[in-house]
Amino acid sequence: MALAEYDTKVELVTEHVWQNREAFLRLNPAGEVPVVIENDGPPLCGANVIMEYLEDTRGYAAGKRRMMPDNPDARAEVRRLCEWFLSKFHAEVSDPYVRERIYKVEMPAGAGGGAPDSASLRTARQNMRHHLRYLGHLVSKRDWIAGDAISFADLAAATAVSVVDYLGEVPWNEDDAARSWYARMKSRPSFRPILAEIARGVRPAHHYADLDF
Amino acid sequence: MALAEYDTKVELVTEHVWQNREAFLRLNPAGEVPVVIENDGPPLCGANVIMEYLEDTRGYAAGKRRMMPDNPDARAEVRRLCEWFLSKFHAEVSDPYVRERIYKVEMPAGAGGGAPDSASLRTARQNMRHHLRYLGHLVSKRDWIAGDAISFADLAAATAVSVVDYLGEVPWNEDDAARSWYARMKSRPSFRPILAEIARGVRPAHHYADLDF
């Protein structure tokens, strides 16, 4: 989504990280996605590293489409909230959901596949409600997640939430401010490929791709 | 350590994060340390946000003491390795050690205190050996962790490793390159306060503060 916002063409390649392919581990020893390779440059590992690289290489030239503010305090707030959604929300909500409801379906039993664990899902559901309230709190006191302009924090939050929304697990009726922010994010052209994605073996919630939900 | 490298005076305040103090949660809703407050600015939450803020506000002026390179590819490598030590090493090694051997000693039983879990410690010990080998691999192909100049990645790695070294759990005899890098880090003036720290209830390993170990 960040690459699309910066009008950067990209060829997507799927990596099944649990296979621990040697060729992939040479690109990213952490064995995680996303990884971006540009021209002859080294692999850029992780969403955070990729976003900062986009800012370093294209930020100034992007003008109004820039996803990072100039002011150091404002940059700190964008980074805090990127970390919030990429790490904390991921650990507390989307990672348990993806592991239990998507990965386990596709993974062989020997690699950890099998039936979802209901205690993990219950905790994830509770955490989702807290996070939705916090998200609503942020976008009700200012236009976007980290301030008055859209930023990497909105992209991090929207993509993180989209995973959970795919599974129909975001209780949108509990927070109008969060819902209207997400409707704005969904209508961005950069978000369209995400709405078209399908996880093998798991169908999206019926409202997932609706801009009006 | 980063603040000291940038010659920034700081008044340290201890926060017992497990108490979830409301006043602290207003500073950082994630409830985590470190948090830095400068002048009337907003709280800077997390080591990563603090390092980027130092680069944004003092990087250019720091000259040779700057902890972040200019080149976008090199910056990506510094960030990748900061994340490696602040997140991956933390999750796989230092967090289990600190939880089992330091926090549990000081926490009341109701908050999770008690005897250390030996399975967690065994896994952490195994992970430590993998990480030491990777660290040694990095500093044997170049002068510092992320390149030919010292950077935030060295500070992230050294402080992360120091926690485990305090507990006497780094098998230094297994990797000479890593050991000699750590000896260089220990001899920096910015590292001295870390070597003088004491965790209540847990004494440091006998070699912990030795520059020659």
Side-chain angles (χ1 to χ4, degrees):
Chain A
M1 189 178 185
L3 291 163
E5 289 286 346
Y6 279 81
D7 252 338
T8 301
K9 294 275 174 293
V10 62
E11 185 197 336
L12 294 171
V13 178
T14 299
E15 180 66 32
H16 290 180
V17 290
W18 61 83
Q19 293 177 344
N20 288 317
R21 283 195 316 120
E22 253 189 64
F24 182 69
L25 291 173
R26 271 195 299 275
L27 295 180
N28 184 7
E32 287 165 7
V33 287
V35 172
V36 165
I37 299 176
E38 177 161 69
N39 303 325
D40 297 329
L44 306 166
C45 303
N48 201 42
V49 168
I50 293 164
M51 292 187 297
E52 298 282 358
Y53 177 86
L54 286 171
E55 160 67 7
D56 285 348
T57 55
R58 296 148 167 86
Y60 190 74
K64 284 199 173 158
R65 291 177 299 106
R66 187 174 176 189
M67 290 288 145
M68 188 66 126
D70 255 330
N71 177 283
D73 289 348
R75 290 164 74 85
E77 182 67 348
V78 168
R79 289 176 174 129
R80 176 179 81 85
L81 289 164
C82 281
E83 203 162 306
W84 184 280
F85 287 98
L86 294 175
S87 298
K88 193 176 171 67
F89 181 88
H90 177 78
E92 294 175 357
V93 185
S94 44
D95 185 51
Y97 272 128
V98 168
R99 193 180 52 239
E100 300 302 331
R101 294 198 43 196
I102 300 184
Y103 275 19
K104 277 192 174 175
V105 174
E106 206 173 334
M107 286 161 83
D117 174 58
S118 60
S120 293
L121 289 176
R122 207 158 39 236
T123 307
R125 203 158 287 152
Q126 242 165 14
N127 292 340
M128 180 66 239
R129 301 181 71 177
H130 291 301
H131 276 280
L132 186 66
R133 206 181 317 136
Y134 186 55
L135 208 170
H137 160 75
L138 291 170
V139 293
S140 61
K141 66 177 183 173
R142 48 202 187 194
D143 286 349
W144 299 93
I145 295 253
D148 290 332
I150 188 171
S151 74
F152 285 126
D154 295 278
L155 312 191
T159 49
V161 166
S162 77
V163 174
V164 186
D165 193 43
Y166 184 96
L167 298 168
E169 296 279 9
V170 183
W172 291 116
N173 58 341
E174 292 182 12
D175 202 294
D176 285 344
R179 179 205 286 253
S180 101
W181 163 83
Y182 191 60
R184 277 186 286 152
M185 293 305 292
K186 267 177 127 171
S187 68
R188 296 183 79 81
S190 63
F191 208 75
R192 261 176 231 153
I194 293 165
L195 296 179
E197 274 178 359
I198 295 289
R200 259 199 283 177
V202 183
R203 275 199 284 189
H206 71 279
H207 69 274
Y208 176 67
D210 287 355
L211 296 185
D212 217 15
F213 59 102
Chain B
M1 189 179 186
L3 291 164
E5 289 288 345
Y6 279 82
D7 252 338
T8 301
K9 294 276 172 295
V10 62
E11 186 196 336
L12 294 171
V13 178
T14 300
E15 180 67 32
H16 290 180
V17 289
W18 59 84
Q19 294 176 344
N20 288 316
R21 285 195 316 118
E22 254 189 62
F24 181 69
L25 291 173
R26 271 194 299 275
L27 295 180
N28 185 5
E32 287 164 6
V33 288
V35 173
V36 165
I37 299 177
E38 177 160 69
N39 303 326
D40 296 330
L44 305 166
C45 303
N48 200 43
V49 169
I50 293 165
M51 292 187 296
E52 297 282 359
Y53 176 85
L54 286 171
E55 160 68 6
D56 285 348
T57 56
R58 296 149 167 84
Y60 189 75
K64 285 201 171 157
R65 292 177 298 105
R66 188 175 176 189
M67 290 288 146
M68 188 67 124
D70 256 331
N71 176 282
D73 289 347
R75 290 164 74 86
E77 182 67 346
V78 169
R79 289 177 174 127
R80 176 180 81 85
L81 289 163
C82 282
E83 205 162 304
W84 183 281
F85 288 98
L86 294 176
S87 298
K88 192 176 172 67
F89 182 89
H90 178 78
E92 294 174 358
V93 185
S94 45
D95 186 53
Y97 272 128
V98 168
R99 193 180 53 238
E100 299 302 330
R101 294 199 42 196
I102 301 184
Y103 275 21
K104 276 191 174 175
V105 175
E106 207 175 332
M107 285 161 84
D117 175 57
S118 60
S120 294
L121 289 177
R122 205 159 40 237
T123 307
R125 202 159 289 150
Q126 241 164 15
N127 292 340
M128 180 66 238
R129 301 181 70 178
H130 292 299
H131 277 280
L132 186 67
R133 204 177 323 135
Y134 186 56
L135 208 169
H137 160 74
L138 291 170
V139 293
S140 61
K141 66 176 184 174
R142 49 202 187 194
D143 286 349
W144 299 93
I145 296 253
D148 290 332
I150 187 171
S151 74
F152 285 126
D154 295 279
L155 312 190
T159 50
V161 166
S162 77
V163 174
V164 186
D165 193 43
Y166 184 96
L167 298 168
E169 297 279 8
V170 183
W172 290 116
N173 57 342
E174 292 182 12
D175 201 294
D176 286 344
R179 180 205 284 256
S180 102
W181 163 83
Y182 191 59
R184 278 186 285 153
M185 292 305 293
K186 266 177 129 172
S187 69
R188 296 183 79 81
S190 64
F191 208 76
R192 260 175 231 153
I194 293 166
L195 296 178
E197 275 178 358
I198 294 288
R200 260 198 282 174
V202 183
R203 275 198 283 189
H206 72 279
H207 70 273
Y208 176 66
D210 287 355
L211 296 186
D212 218 15
F213 59 102

